[in-house]
Amino acid sequence: MKILVVGANGQIGKQLVHMLHDHPNYEVKAMIRKQEQASYFQKAGIESVLANLDGTVSELADAARDCGAVVFTAGSGGGTGFDQTLLIDLDGAAKVIEAAELAGIQRFIMISALQAHRREHWSEQIKPYYAAKHHADQILRNSGLNYTIIRPGGLMNEDGTGKVAAAEDIRSGSIPREDVARTALLSLDEESTFRRSFDLVSGDTPIADALSALDAPLN
Ligand SMILES: NC(=O)c1ccc[n+]([C@@H]2O[C@H](COP(=O)([O-])OP(=O)(O)OC[C@H]3O[C@@H](n4cnc5c(N)ncnc54)[C@H](OP(=O)(O)O)[C@@H]3O)[C@@H](O)[C@H]2O)c1
């Protein structure tokens, strides 16, 4: 199965692209938004496609066309205004969900944010970011797609430990980006993550075991 990674040039995205490329069961297509980003992937023998979350649903569907699943790990980042949060983190995600439906893709993994499902725990300083994440997740949940919504804690650039805590409600914590990428990879075919959302931080349980133990009621 070929996986479209949206946000492939990002810090989680790049690690996930390499994991997928190295995996015997998957092929990967890296969605990038600038032509100059293509050579990095070309040199590694990885297919890329140029598309922008500012674009139309039909352009995004064209980018996704021969894929069997989408992982959305894009984000406008802390350096832009909340207008971009609205347009990329919320509407960009909504457009990719529509595009997946248009392209006949069933499986969709969203990288959201810790506690995006609980308004009472949103940080005052970045409430619009949490609102964007919350509503993108809701749109995905209400779609016909087979979703997994991963809500990681504060992202770190240190090496992954391969061990996490994954549950419906984890109030705080952090996690290396490598472990988030591996959790997305291992979720793709793990049925216990199908139509499920969970918070994710560093912990004591190997990722595969933490995912297969996700037996809480659907949320
Ligand atoms: N920071 C945290 O502590 C934290 C915690 C929980 C969840 N998250 C979420 O985790 C996800 C991934 O984080 P990260 O650190 O890997 O992010 P990142 O390094 O900032 O990567 C985000 C990617 O999104 C791409 N992007 C932005 N606007 C785009 C557009 N208009 N069209 C296409 N692509 C676009 C960027 O492209 P360029 O490379 O071209 O700029 C970049 O590759 C994000 O959704 C973030 O909100 C973050």
Side-chain angles (χ1 to χ4, degrees):
M1 175 165 64
K2 189 182 284 187
I3 317 297
L4 182 74
V5 177
V6 178
N9 193 58
Q11 299 169 87
I12 290 176
K14 261 188 186 157
Q15 298 194 56
L16 177 60
V17 164
H18 284 288
M19 288 176 193
L20 287 163
H21 182 61
D22 293 342
H23 197 288
N25 297 353
Y26 303 116
E27 294 172 72
V28 61
K29 196 198 282 191
M31 194 186 111
I32 52 174
R33 61 171 163 166
K34 294 175 193 144
Q35 184 58 51
E36 61 264 31
Q37 295 165 346
S39 62
Y40 170 86
F41 296 96
Q42 201 176 7
K43 277 182 199 144
I46 294 168
E47 179 183 357
S48 64
V49 61
L50 206 57
N52 198 307
L53 292 167
D54 286 340
T56 65
V57 170
S58 102
E59 285 163 0
L60 293 166
D62 284 344
R65 199 67 70 182
D66 57 343
C67 295
V70 174
V71 180
F72 186 97
T73 184
S76 57
T80 61
F82 286 131
D83 56 338
Q84 288 306 304
T85 309
L86 180 66
L87 291 172
I88 301 306
D89 300 57
L90 175 51
D91 197 43
K95 285 191 283 188
V96 176
I97 292 163
E98 278 182 52
E101 288 175 324
L102 202 61
I105 295 170
Q106 271 300 304
R107 187 80 177 107
F108 198 112
I109 296 184
M110 175 74 86
I111 306 301
S112 178
L114 194 83
Q115 292 288 309
H117 60 319
R118 299 254 189 268
R119 287 188 178 93
E120 62 274 25
H121 297 141
W122 294 355
S123 145
E124 252 339 291
Q125 290 81 11
I126 52 168
K127 257 189 182 173
Y129 168 76
Y130 280 101
K133 289 294 198 190
H134 175 84
H135 288 285
D137 294 354
Q138 285 291 80
I139 290 166
L140 179 56
R141 241 182 240 110
N142 293 332
S143 74
L145 301 179
N146 177 8
Y147 65 83
T148 299
I149 297 168
I150 300 172
R151 297 186 299 257
L155 299 177
M156 302 182 299
N157 279 333
E158 57 201 51
D159 289 347
T161 64
K163 292 186 176 176
V164 298
E168 153 67 14
D169 195 11
I170 300 174
R171 297 294 162 87
S172 64
S174 57
I175 183 165
R177 286 179 167 86
E178 183 184 348
D179 285 335
V180 179
R182 194 160 301 284
T183 301
L185 173 82
L186 293 176
S187 293
L188 277 165
D189 284 311
E190 172 52 67
E191 289 188 15
S192 59
T193 72
F194 289 3
R195 303 193 68 77
R196 197 173 290 281
S197 320
F198 54 91
D199 287 330
L200 182 78
V201 298
S202 289
D204 299 325
T205 311
I207 295 170
D209 296 344
L211 294 180
S212 59
L214 282 169
D215 58 357
L218 294 181
N219 56 77

